Amino acid sequence: QVELVESGGGTVQAGGSLRLSCVVSGHTYSDYCMGWFRQAPGKKRERVATLDSDSVASTAYTDSVKGRFTISKDNANSTLYLQMNSLKPEDTAMYYCAEAYYSCKISYSIADFAYWGQGTQVTVSS
């Protein structure tokens, strides 16, 4: 019932920018943790950034992207965004948006995120 569709990926030079979008359907943003994850081939999926669907102030980032990436949402359009600036080759991965059943404070594991998009590829060349 809940569907998430990512877009905005592509290939950019190091130092460039991309904005990823995730359109969510099936329900409204309310007391759910929303997040962006990434996975490179042969590597485990890792959390990039999260926010609570009903809180503009509750955001969290993995250390490697802090200061470069910004997660945000537009409730009117049911869209989650990830603004990616100063991209590095190590940012290369498939990026996924996801939604948990509960708030971000208790969504500690990747297993807590029940709904996933199909992914959008981000490739950063040096």
Side-chain angles (χ1 to χ4, degrees), residues 4 6 20 22 33-40 44-51 60 62 65 69 71 80-82 84 91-100 104 107-122:
L4 302 90
E6 305 97 332
L20 306 183
C22 174
C33 186
M34 302 292 299
W36 287 96
F37 296 75
R38 64 186 182 187
Q39 186 172 24
K44 293 191 295 184
R45 191 167 298 185
E46 64 175 344
R47 186 181 306 204
V48 176
T50 58
L51 59 69
T62 190
V65 308
F69 292 8
I71 187 171
L80 184 73
Y81 299 99
L82 184 67
M84 311 165 68
D91 295 318
T92 295
M94 185 74 75
Y95 283 71
Y96 301 87
C97 63
E99 176 182 307
C104 293
S107 299
Y108 301 117
S109 172
I110 191 171
D112 294 320
F113 290 81
Y115 305 103
W116 295 83
Q118 84 289 346
T120 185
Q121 179 68 39
V122 172

Side-chain angles (χ1 to χ4, degrees), residues 1 10-11 14 26 28-29 32 34 40 48 53 77 86 95 103 106 112:
Q1 186 173 357
T11 301
T28 59
Y29 291 90
Y32 296 103
M34 302 292 299
V48 176
S53 61
N77 296 328
S86 301
Y95 283 71
S103 66
I106 60 175
D112 294 320

Side-chain angles (χ1 to χ4, degrees), residues 50-61 70-75:
T50 58
L51 59 69
D52 279 312
S53 61
D54 60 350
S55 177
V56 67
S58 299
T59 60
Y61 301 89
T70 303
I71 187 171
S72 63
K73 60 181 173 65
D74 185 335
N75 289 341

